[in-house]
Amino acid sequence: MVPKSSGGRRVRVAGMARSLVIKVTAGADAPERCNQAFTVAAAALASGVPVSLWLTGESSWFALPGRAKEFVLPHAAPLPDLLDAVLAAGRVTLCTQCAARRNITVDDVIEGVRIAGAPAFVEEAVADGAQALVY
């Protein structure tokens, strides 16, 4: 069965609610890939699909206040708007190791961003009905 969505309802496949777990590894170093991850996350949420967005690698910097405003990609939705949409309706997680490598602490991040590690990512990614995407 092909997933379909209509009017903010949750996507269902064979009677099962679906969710997306999106890991974005790219930041300003690969702007198109980075923006695609945020765009897919926001679009999924707008369609009623539960989303968990994981910031890893260079995207880790977007967990800090003001950093998304520095990101510019022509012909793309502004990253701060996409991040705000995910924070409002989904979950945003900063990778524990990625945060540590950048000296980012829980006191540094935007309100609503949690810090968690690989076990939490795996738990979300293998949950019933979950689809994991990595950008």
Side-chain angles (χ1 to χ4, degrees):
M1 177 180 212
V2 177
K4 294 183 180 181
S5 176
S6 174
R9 295 191 329 239
R10 285 191 177 188
V11 174
R12 297 184 89 55
V13 175
M16 179 184 297
R18 296 289 306 216
S19 65
L20 280 177
V21 181
I22 301 172
K23 180 185 273 194
V24 54
T25 63
D29 59 325
E32 287 185 290
R33 189 163 32 110
C34 175
N35 187 265
Q36 288 169 1
F38 280 85
T39 300
V40 167
L45 285 164
S47 297
V49 177
V51 171
S52 176
L53 179 68
W54 282 73
L55 305 177
T56 68
E58 285 303 300
S59 73
S60 299
W61 296 114
F62 299 127
L64 297 175
R67 287 296 185 99
K69 289 180 183 175
E70 298 172 8
F71 182 92
V72 177
L73 181 63
H75 308 290
L79 199 65
D81 295 349
L82 297 172
L83 179 56
D84 287 347
V86 179
L87 283 166
R91 171 185 274 175
V92 178
T93 305
L94 172 59
C95 164
T96 302
Q97 291 180 358
C98 299
R101 281 190 283 276
R102 290 160 180 81
N103 294 314
I104 300 172
T105 69
V106 69
D107 295 327
D108 299 323
V109 299
I110 299 167
E111 185 177 339
V113 173
R114 71 175 181 147
I115 298 177
F121 176 79
V122 170
E123 182 179 348
E124 289 183 18
V126 301
D128 286 343
Q131 173 68 52
L133 303 175
V134 178
Y135 287 87

